[in-house]
C-alpha cells in the first residue's frame, strides 16, 4: 500500500508493503505518483516520503521488473517527485536499494537514519538505470561514489553519504517532518523557482522559459511584498504562494 497523511500543511507518504520490504511493482509506482499529485493538489507545502518498518525501499519487485510497463511506471513516479512544485524530502529510514535509491535521489532533500544505506546493484542482476540517475548520483554523491555503486555494486552508508553531501541530514522520520514544517513556512514561489533551476542542472529537459517565468514571478509576487512589510513590522512573514 501507499499510505498518506498530514502533519499540518505537510503531506506524508509511506511505502507500506512489509512483506516485500517496500519493493515497488507497477501498482505501487502508480500509487506513489497519484499520492504525490493528490497531496500537492490539496495544498501541501512540502512532502515527506518514507518506508514502513526498517526499510525505505528494497527496490523493484523482481517478479515484474523486466517489463517495459514497469519501467515506464517507475520513471513516471520518479519524474512526478522531481517536477512537482513543492520540496520533497526523503526520510530514508533503512536500506534504499535500486529503485529505492532512485526515489531518494529524485527527492529534493534527503535525511537518513544512521543505519540506512544506498545501493544500485544493477550489475548484479543484468539491468541498468537511466542516464538521469547516473548524472544525479554523480552530482549528489560524487563521481567516485557513483562508480563504486554502479561498477562495483558497493553500498554507500548513510554517514558516508552525509559526509559526501548526498544525505543532507542524519535523523529519523520525526526529524524529517520537523524540517519539512520549517520549509513549509518559506515562500512557495521562491521554492518552486529554486527547485526548477537546481533540477535543470542534471536534466536533458530544456525548461529555460519556465525557469525564467518562475524567476520573474518571485520578484513581482505578493509574497515579496509581504516579506518587505514583515521586515518593517518586525514579524515573521506569512507567505501564501501568490
Amino acid at each position: 500500500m501507499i499510505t498518506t497523511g498530514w502533519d499540518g500543511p505537510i503531506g506524508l507518504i509511506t511505502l507500506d508493503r512489509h512483506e516485500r520490504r517496500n519493493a515497488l511493482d507497477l501498482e505501487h509506482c502508480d500509487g506513489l505518483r497519484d499520492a504525490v499529485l493528490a497531496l500537492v493538489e490539496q495544498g501541501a507545502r512540502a512532502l515527506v516520503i518514507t518506508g514502513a518498518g526498517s526499510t525505505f525501499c528494497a527496490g523493484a519487485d523482481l517478479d515484474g521488473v523486466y517489463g517495459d510497463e514497469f519501467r515506464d511506471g517507475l520513471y513516471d513516479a520518479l519524474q512526478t517527485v522531481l517536477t512537482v512544485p513543492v520540496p520533497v524530502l526523503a526520510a530514508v529510514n533503512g536500506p534504499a536499494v535500486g529503485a529505492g535509491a532512485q526515489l531518494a535521489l529524485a527527492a529534493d532533500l534527503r535525511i537518513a537514519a544512521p543505519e540506512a544505506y544506498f545501493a544500485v546493484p544493477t550489475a548484479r542482476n543484468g539491468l541498468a538505470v537511466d542516464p538521469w540517475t547516473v548524472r544525479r548520483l554523480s552530482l549528489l554523491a560524487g563521481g567516485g561514489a557513483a562508480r563504486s555503486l554502479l561498477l562495483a555494486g558497493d553500498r554507500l552508508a548513510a554517514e558516508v553519504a552525509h559526509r559526501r553531501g548526498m544525505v543532507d541530514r542524519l535523523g529519523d522520520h520525526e526529524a524529517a517532518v520537523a524540517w519539512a514544517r520549517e520549509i513549509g513556512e518559506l515562500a512557495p514561489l521562491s521554492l518552486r523557482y529554486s527547485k526548477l533551476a537546481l533540477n535543470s542542472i542534471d536534466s536533458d529537459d530544456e525548461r529555460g522559459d519556465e525557469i525564467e517565468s518562475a524567476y520573474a514571478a518571485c520578484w513581482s509576487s505578493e509574497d515579496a511584498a509581504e516579506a518587505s512589510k514583515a521586515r518593517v513590522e518586525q514579524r515573521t512573514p506569512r507567505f501564501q504562494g501568490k
Side-chain angles (χ1 to χ4, degrees):
M1 295 177 60
I2 304 294
T3 61
T4 62
W6 293 90
D7 185 298
I10 306 306
L12 308 177
I13 298 174
T14 302
L15 310 179
D16 192 356
R17 200 180 179 210
H18 292 87
E19 74 283 3
R20 302 293 292 179
R21 299 177 64 227
N22 303 325
L24 294 171
D25 59 12
L26 177 59
E27 179 183 1
H28 289 84
C29 289
D30 291 346
L32 174 61
R33 176 203 61 209
D34 293 346
V36 169
L37 292 174
L39 290 173
V40 171
E41 185 176 354
Q42 293 166 31
R45 297 286 286 262
L47 302 177
V48 176
I49 300 176
T50 196
S54 59
T55 300
F56 177 70
C57 176
D61 188 331
L62 292 177
D63 290 339
V65 71
Y66 295 100
D68 291 345
E69 190 176 10
F70 169 81
R71 189 169 63 248
D72 292 345
L74 172 62
Y75 287 114
D76 189 19
L78 296 177
Q79 283 297 309
T80 299
V81 171
L82 189 70
T83 58
V84 287
V86 302
V88 179
L89 285 72
V92 185
N93 55 305
V97 180
Q102 290 177 281
L103 176 56
L105 289 170
D108 301 294
L109 298 165
R110 283 147 295 281
I111 184 166
E115 63 271 19
Y117 66 82
F118 302 86
V120 188
T122 49
R124 298 185 185 277
N125 53 34
L127 300 176
V129 292
D130 67 317
W132 170 83
T133 298
V134 176
R135 289 196 300 269
R136 184 84 157 187
L137 180 60
S138 297
L139 180 66
L140 294 175
R147 285 169 171 77
S148 176
L149 288 169
L150 293 169
L151 299 180
D154 286 346
R155 296 177 176 181
L156 185 66
E159 292 188 0
V160 178
H162 182 231
R163 290 198 298 269
R164 291 180 177 274
M166 177 180 168
V167 167
D168 302 282
R169 296 184 181 183
L170 295 174
D172 58 13
H173 183 258
E174 184 178 345
V177 174
W179 192 16
R181 284 198 296 267
E182 294 177 12
I183 293 169
E185 295 178 357
L186 303 176
L189 294 180
S190 297
L191 295 175
R192 175 178 179 269
Y193 161 72
S194 294
K195 179 169 180 171
L196 278 168
L198 287 166
N199 285 342
S200 71
I201 296 171
D202 58 6
S203 174
D204 291 328
D205 186 14
E206 296 293 335
R207 308 180 72 178
D209 290 344
E210 185 178 1
I211 292 172
E212 184 62 33
S213 176
Y215 171 77
C218 292
W219 287 91
S220 61
S221 67
E222 294 178 18
D223 280 351
E226 161 64 9
S228 179
K229 182 179 179 181
R231 282 193 296 272
V232 173
E233 298 175 355
Q234 297 185 334
R235 60 172 175 80
T236 300
R238 295 180 290 272
F239 295 120
Q240 301 297 320
K242 299 178 181 179

